[in-house]
Amino acid sequence: MMKLKFKLKLEHSPIFRSFLISYVLVLFIPMLTGFISYYVSSDIIKSSSLEASAMMLNQSRDILDRRMEEVENITRQLSLDQELNYVLNEQVDAEHYDVYAIWKSWRNTTAYSLTNTFLEDFYIYLNNYHAIFTPSGVFVRPDDYFDLYHYQNVDPVQWKQEILGKIHRRETLPSQPFINNGKKTNVITYLQSIPFDSFQHSLGTAVILIDENEIAKMLERIPKQYGGWAYISDKDGHPIARIGIEDAQIKDLNIQELINSKPGNTFVKDKTLLISSKSAYNGWVYVVGLPKSVVMEKSVFIAKVTWTITVSTLLLGIVAALLFAYRNSAPINRIVTVFREQTGQVGYKGKNAFDFLQGNISHLLASQRTLEEELRRQLPLLEDAFVKRLLKGEFDSLQEMRTLMHSLPNLNLKRETGYVAMIRINGYSGLVSKEIIHELNAARLLIKKCLNDLSGVFQLNVTDIDSDKIAILMTLTETANYSEADEMTAGLTELFEQLREYVKEEYRIQMTVAIGGSFQALSDSSRSFEEARGALDYSVLREEAETIWYRDVIKESTTYYYPIDMELRMMNAVKIGELQEVHRIFEQLLEHNFSERQLSAEMVQQLFGELKGTFFKLLQHSPFTDQAVSEGLKPRVEQLQLSTSLDRFRNEVLVLLEAFCSRVLKKKEDSTGEMINKIVSFLDSRYADADLNLYKISTAVELPEKYISQLFKDHTGENLSDYLEKIRIKKATDLLFNSDHTIDEISQYVGYNSAHAFRRAFKRVSGVSPSIYRKTVN
């Protein structure tokens, strides 16, 4: 439910909207390009279709012009035929015909019918004989010919007057119904008087009857291709031939407009594309009508495909834009939310979220630089505070001390063995004034500078203890070659003697130096510091300024040595299970009391009682407070007895200390095991989350991210990310073996953002790709 609310909130966020609008705008750019391409291709298809139809129309026009020109040439040849001219010019006696001349002339004219399909039906009228030649025979009486071949709407008288009686020069009559030996058809009539150049009087007339279907055949390619019609008219608009169109439709056409238009013009009338062409030979107008829907069929198909792809692409693009906008805006929203929660800002400081982030990040970087500068400025103070805590034994554990020491790189602590010395500036005891304080400050600074100049093979860390006292933590440099303690003692004595003499001569400063015993670990430097303090206090009894060693002034003591800081250090080491440190402190305690001192029996008993009290104090602290542990350790503490032998006493105490440390380590290991189990359980339940990261794991188990990563690595021997990858790949192998899901689906099921990342991880862990693994197991 929370996730759903977050998504709804995200979808209404300005960042989400900005990403979504950007992606949608980018999506519309190729779509706009697609629309332009569609309209351009549609125009190309339309123009190419019209150009192809116009080209075929022009081809048909040119062919028909050539055929008509052939007809004209044939009529010209007829007028030049000698036999025919002889008959035409012969003086005819009404009672005596030259039958042989007529037959011979007819035989010559019939051969012309084979040269052109248009001449299949033609006749020649001879004025002098009143006879008609046809390819099939000779009609001596014209009325006999008219009975078989005549125009449906023309009577014999009109036929003789208009066709046979007039002079014709390359005259073409429009299409009209014709009875051809009882069969009805439509013909176009071509008329030419003979001789060819007759103007006042003709000897005969050549009449060529052209079947309209013969002309229509030349145009049928265009209507057949697109399902339209074709039409030819003469220059006056009278029909010559038609195909696929009726007379009523022709009347609706504005033929005169087409006749007067430029060749190749295209008109649209009643969803029909009209293409016209005009013959330069005889002025005929050729008109083709094409259904616009058929011509644009390919364009319509492209439109359907384009719109289908466009709508699908738009829907998929919007879905992708939503996903990308969510994926890219979610991290920015989370960052903005974190900034708002941390800074307490409600709105944006700036125009948008990016300005808001830029401002806050710039502020963070500036703050970081300021902090770094402040840290560099405070670094000497931190180093001084570290040295003070180290000398006073205020660290609870070695881990704390070493962690803090590594964060201070300028500390001169390359080795862990050395001495602690204290310097007192003499002559100022009991004097307190502003001038004295300034004078002591200057003296301390001069002494520190001289120490740095004379340090040589020693690494010195100097800190102020009082206005007239300085403590120096001294260790050897990495290149120092002192192999014996006596050599190091002599070197330190020489160093401080030079220092005392120098400040005395140059600055008239009198000082006393006290040096404690050597330490073998930095955690033991507090003991050397206390020894140096004690030696410095002892030097008050001496009048002269000198260098005093703790071992020279503390010869014997009637009291035992068990300071409170040593007890605290040992208790802290036990509580964190540092057995080696516990051994070292205890051995140091024995050395101080039984090697450097001669204790009486009563003092030994008191020391033993103090140690036993330390154990009882430990029982009051975790992890020794639970009943089961108390019942096991408390009786052992109560039964601890002072042995007569020092070795036996040492062994009994060490065994008990080991028992305490073992309990700490066991509880720490149990706690670690529980934490590891908790982490593993969380990974097993959330491995499918593609956004699973160290932050979510740390939130679930309530531990810091860095600690979780190191803890898991120390306990299991492998990185947390590698373990999560193995879980995912194991789940993936189960799905590959036991399901039919695709590899892309499986990659999402097991928590990968992409199939490519899943394939790489699978091959890295299993040694083969997912597809090969599936084929192998199947």
Side-chain angles (χ1 to χ4, degrees):
M1 187 68 181
M2 294 297 293
K3 188 174 183 181
L4 179 60
K5 290 181 178 179
F6 176 73
K7 285 187 177 180
L8 291 174
K9 183 179 179 182
L10 178 63
E11 290 173 358
H12 292 86
S13 70
I15 305 172
F16 177 83
R17 290 196 297 270
S18 299
F19 274 108
L20 182 60
I21 292 172
S22 300
Y23 289 134
V24 171
L25 289 176
V26 172
L27 178 64
F28 273 108
I29 292 175
M31 291 183 63
L32 180 61
T33 305
F35 286 141
I36 295 174
S37 301
Y38 158 68
Y39 285 117
V40 170
S41 62
S42 178
D43 289 340
I44 291 174
I45 291 173
K46 177 181 176 182
S47 61
S48 62
S49 299
L50 294 177
E51 288 176 2
S53 299
M55 182 179 68
M56 287 190 289
L57 180 63
N58 292 332
Q59 289 176 351
S60 300
R61 179 201 66 196
D62 294 341
I63 293 172
L64 190 55
D65 284 349
R66 286 195 297 269
R67 301 294 294 277
M68 294 302 295
E69 189 175 0
E70 291 175 2
V71 170
E72 181 182 347
N73 291 333
I74 291 171
T75 57
R76 190 184 298 273
Q77 293 175 12
L78 285 172
S79 67
L80 298 176
D81 187 88
Q82 294 180 358
E83 299 294 338
L84 183 59
N85 280 311
Y86 173 79
V87 173
L88 289 172
N89 290 290
E90 185 180 4
Q91 295 295 327
V92 178
D93 184 356
E95 297 180 358
H96 299 89
Y97 282 177
D98 190 350
V99 177
Y100 174 76
I102 293 175
W103 172 82
K104 188 176 180 181
S105 177
W106 168 78
R107 187 186 61 179
N108 290 337
T109 57
T110 55
Y112 288 102
S113 65
L114 303 176
T115 60
N116 193 309
T117 55
F118 287 178
L119 299 178
E120 290 182 1
D121 294 314
F122 79 95
Y123 61 93
I124 299 173
Y125 172 70
L126 307 178
N127 288 347
N128 55 354
Y129 281 97
H130 297 288
I132 293 178
F133 286 181
T134 68
S136 58
V138 178
F139 292 86
V140 178
R141 296 177 66 250
D143 291 336
D144 294 338
Y145 174 83
F146 187 82
D147 290 339
L148 296 176
Y149 307 97
H150 61 270
Y151 298 103
Q152 184 176 355
N153 300 322
V154 178
D155 55 39
V157 176
Q158 186 179 1
W159 172 63
K160 290 177 182 180
Q161 291 176 351
E162 298 295 332
I163 302 298
L164 304 181
K166 287 185 177 182
I167 298 175
H168 304 284
R169 182 172 176 82
R170 297 172 55 193
E171 184 177 348
T172 304
L173 300 181
S175 176
Q176 52 187 314
F178 188 80
I179 303 301
N180 187 350
N181 198 15
K183 183 175 68 175
K184 184 179 178 181
T185 184
N186 288 336
V187 297
I188 296 96
T189 306
Y190 181 83
L191 303 172
Q192 176 64 47
S193 295
I194 301 174
F196 203 80
D197 54 355
S198 59
F199 292 98
Q200 299 297 329
H201 178 71
S202 66
L203 301 177
T205 303
V207 181
I208 300 175
L209 302 174
I210 304 172
D211 192 347
E212 183 180 333
N213 292 330
E214 291 294 330
I215 297 177
K217 287 179 182 179
M218 299 182 183
L219 301 175
E220 64 182 0
R221 289 187 301 167
I222 304 174
K224 279 185 178 180
Q225 183 177 3
Y226 294 106
W229 50 265
Y231 172 74
I232 301 175
S233 67
D234 61 17
K235 58 185 178 181
D236 296 323
H238 301 124
I240 299 297
R242 68 185 67 78
I243 182 171
I245 186 170
E246 301 297 333
D247 292 337
Q249 295 173 296
I250 294 175
K251 290 180 181 179
D252 294 336
L253 295 175
N254 191 352
I255 300 300
Q256 196 61 39
E257 180 182 358
L258 295 174
I259 293 173
N260 298 329
S261 65
K262 292 182 180 180
N265 278 8
T266 303
F267 299 88
V268 179
K269 184 177 180 63
D270 298 332
K271 298 182 180 180
T272 301
L273 296 175
L274 301 179
I275 306 173
S276 65
S277 180
K278 192 172 183 179
S279 173
Y281 171 72
N282 53 18
W284 288 3
V285 177
Y286 297 74
V287 183
V288 172
L290 305 176
K292 186 177 180 181
S293 60
V294 178
V295 174
M296 302 300 291
E297 184 176 0
K298 292 182 179 179
S299 178
V300 172
F301 174 75
I302 293 177
K304 290 181 180 179
V305 173
T306 301
W307 280 108
T308 302
I309 294 175
T310 299
V311 172
S312 302
T313 304
L314 181 61
L315 294 176
L316 292 175
I318 291 175
V319 172
L322 289 169
L323 293 176
F324 287 144
Y326 169 73
R327 188 186 69 176
N328 293 329
S329 61
I332 299 177
N333 269 302
R334 286 196 290 267
I335 295 173
V336 170
T337 302
V338 171
F339 272 113
R340 286 177 175 174
E341 292 176 352
Q342 297 298 324
T343 60
Q345 299 180 28
V346 178
Y348 297 138
K349 284 187 176 180
K351 295 180 180 180
N352 49 46
F354 297 100
D355 292 340
F356 173 80
L357 289 177
Q358 182 182 5
N360 281 279
I361 292 174
S362 300
H363 178 70
L364 283 178
L365 293 175
S367 300
Q368 182 181 0
R369 285 193 292 270
T370 303
L371 289 174
E372 289 175 352
E373 293 174 359
E374 183 67 19
L375 182 60
R376 283 193 294 270
R377 192 175 67 82
Q378 297 291 338
L379 194 58
L381 298 177
L382 295 174
E383 293 171 352
D384 185 73
F386 175 83
V387 174
K388 280 186 170 64
R389 289 187 64 190
L390 183 64
L391 294 179
K392 293 180 181 179
E394 294 179 353
F395 289 108
D396 294 333
S397 64
L398 290 175
Q399 184 178 2
E400 179 189 2
M401 180 194 71
R402 287 169 181 164
T403 301
L404 187 56
M405 184 174 67
H406 291 154
S407 66
L408 301 171
N410 294 330
L411 282 174
N412 295 322
L413 294 173
K414 304 300 181 183
R415 294 187 180 181
E416 293 201 0
T417 59
Y419 293 83
V420 176
M422 288 191 67
I423 297 177
R424 183 182 62 229
I425 303 173
N426 297 330
Y428 295 92
S429 178
L431 300 177
V432 179
S433 68
K434 185 177 181 180
E435 291 76 10
I436 294 297
I437 296 297
H438 288 310
E439 189 173 337
L440 285 173
N441 288 338
R444 291 200 307 274
L445 290 175
L446 288 172
I447 292 173
K448 291 177 183 179
K449 182 179 182 304
C450 293
L451 275 172
N452 289 328
D453 294 339
L454 299 172
S455 59
V457 298
F458 295 99
Q459 291 180 326
L460 307 179
N461 290 278
V462 185
T463 183
D464 297 329
I465 299 301
D466 207 343
S467 59
D468 61 344
K469 294 182 181 66
I470 298 173
I472 306 122
L473 178 64
M474 300 173 291
T475 57
L476 290 174
T477 62
E478 293 180 331
T479 58
N481 56 1
Y482 285 138
S483 57
E484 299 290 340
D486 293 340
E487 294 180 6
M488 189 172 181
T489 300
L492 288 174
T493 303
E494 182 181 357
L495 168 66
F496 286 112
E497 287 298 329
Q498 291 178 0
L499 177 65
R500 285 196 311 105
E501 293 297 329
Y502 182 79
V503 298
K504 180 179 179 181
E505 293 178 2
E506 295 291 332
Y507 306 109
R508 297 180 181 179
I509 297 175
Q510 299 285 338
M511 67 179 194
T512 300
V513 180
I515 306 174
S518 63
F519 57 84
Q520 302 302 315
L522 288 176
S523 60
D524 194 29
S525 60
S526 60
R527 187 263 310 160
S528 182
F529 171 72
E530 292 298 331
E531 291 175 348
R533 186 197 294 272
L536 192 64
D537 292 340
Y538 178 80
S539 68
V540 176
L541 302 175
R542 301 187 180 186
E543 297 179 356
E544 296 182 359
E546 57 181 340
T547 301
I548 303 173
W549 286 85
Y550 172 76
R551 64 174 182 272
D552 295 333
V553 299
I554 306 299
K555 296 293 184 181
E556 183 177 337
S557 177
T558 57
T559 61
Y560 63 87
Y561 178 82
Y562 192 29
I564 185 65
D565 66 304
M566 180 174 281
E567 181 184 26
L568 291 175
R569 284 193 288 117
M570 186 164 66
M571 290 178 64
N572 289 334
V574 171
K575 286 189 287 185
I576 62 177
E578 292 183 350
L579 183 59
Q580 186 176 359
E581 180 69 6
V582 172
H583 281 184
R584 193 189 62 76
I585 296 173
F586 181 66
E587 292 294 339
Q588 187 182 57
L589 179 65
L590 293 180
E591 181 180 357
H592 276 284
N593 286 283
F594 296 101
S595 297
E596 299 178 0
R597 287 174 169 79
Q598 296 179 359
L599 299 179
S600 62
E602 290 80 4
M603 290 296 102
V604 173
Q605 286 289 346
Q606 290 186 17
L607 176 60
F608 175 75
E610 290 285 346
L611 280 172
K612 202 168 184 178
T614 300
F615 285 118
F616 279 113
K617 290 177 184 178
L618 284 172
L619 289 173
Q620 305 303 316
H621 295 276
S622 177
F624 313 110
T625 53
D626 56 296
Q627 184 177 1
V629 174
S630 298
E631 291 176 354
L633 293 178
K634 188 174 181 181
R636 294 179 64 180
V637 174
E638 292 173 346
Q639 294 171 8
L640 185 65
Q641 298 293 329
L642 181 61
S643 304
T644 55
S645 169
L646 179 60
D647 292 336
R648 186 174 179 182
F649 170 71
R650 176 190 291 111
N651 293 335
E652 289 179 354
V653 174
L654 287 176
V655 168
L656 192 55
L657 288 172
E658 289 177 0
F660 273 81
C661 290
S662 297
R663 171 58 190 165
V664 173
L665 294 176
K666 186 176 184 305
K667 187 168 184 179
K668 187 184 293 185
E669 184 176 354
D670 293 342
S671 176
T672 302
E674 292 177 3
M675 187 57 62
I676 295 297
N677 291 334
K678 191 174 181 181
I679 294 172
V680 170
S681 298
F682 182 77
L683 294 179
D684 286 336
S685 61
R686 297 291 298 277
Y687 70 90
D689 183 3
D691 297 326
L692 184 62
N693 53 28
L694 199 59
Y695 173 76
K696 291 185 177 181
I697 300 173
S698 66
T699 303
V701 300
E702 299 179 349
L703 284 176
E705 296 180 32
K706 186 175 181 181
Y707 177 73
I708 287 177
S709 181
Q710 188 61 40
L711 177 69
F712 194 88
K713 178 73 179 292
D714 293 342
H715 190 79
T716 63
E718 62 181 330
N719 293 324
L720 192 62
S721 58
D722 294 338
Y723 184 80
L724 175 60
E725 187 177 73
K726 288 182 179 179
I727 292 177
R728 287 173 169 171
I729 297 304
K730 184 179 182 302
K731 301 295 183 182
T733 54
D734 293 340
L735 291 173
L736 288 170
F737 182 72
N738 296 318
S739 73
D740 294 329
H741 295 302
T742 64
I743 292 176
D744 289 351
E745 293 173 342
I746 292 175
S747 66
Q748 295 177 1
Y749 291 157
V750 299
Y752 285 93
N753 285 319
S754 69
H756 177 68
F758 167 68
R759 287 185 174 91
R760 291 179 57 189
F762 193 94
K763 189 169 184 179
R764 182 169 57 250
V765 175
S766 303
V768 295
S769 64
S771 57
I772 294 177
Y773 178 83
R774 170 171 274 178
K775 292 178 181 178
T776 303
V777 297
N778 289 333

